[in-house]
Amino acid sequence: MYGLYDREGILRYVNSDKDACLEYAALFGLNDKSYSLLSLNNTGDDLKDINLDQNQEENNN
């Protein structure tokens, strides 16, 4: 599992494929000075069940 963080430390993208994270950065025109790519595998299996569906509706409550 990999996480792509912006330079402010906000998690922008999570994926099990490193290349997918880099493609996400390229899609949004992020250069390698504006993000960091970290392996999240050492954190255990806690992230296995995270659902980061970007198509979920925003909760306006």
Side-chain angles (χ1 to χ4, degrees):
M1 180 78 59
Y2 294 90
L4 182 79
Y5 291 83
D6 69 12
R7 67 181 191 187
E8 281 82 35
I10 297 173
L11 179 62
R12 294 284 183 170
Y13 188 76
V14 172
N15 197 299
S16 60
D17 183 5
K18 178 181 176 181
D19 291 333
C21 288
L22 295 174
E23 288 172 7
Y24 178 89
L27 177 66
F28 289 97
L30 302 174
N31 64 45
D32 60 356
K33 304 278 189 238
S34 65
Y35 68 85
S36 60
L37 182 64
L38 299 175
S39 173
L40 303 176
N41 288 336
N42 294 335
T43 61
D45 289 334
D46 295 341
L47 296 174
K48 183 187 272 184
D49 296 324
I50 291 178
N51 180 3
L52 297 175
D53 184 0
Q54 295 184 9
N55 294 323
Q56 289 179 333
E57 291 183 26
E58 184 177 332
N59 185 352
N60 292 324
N61 292 336

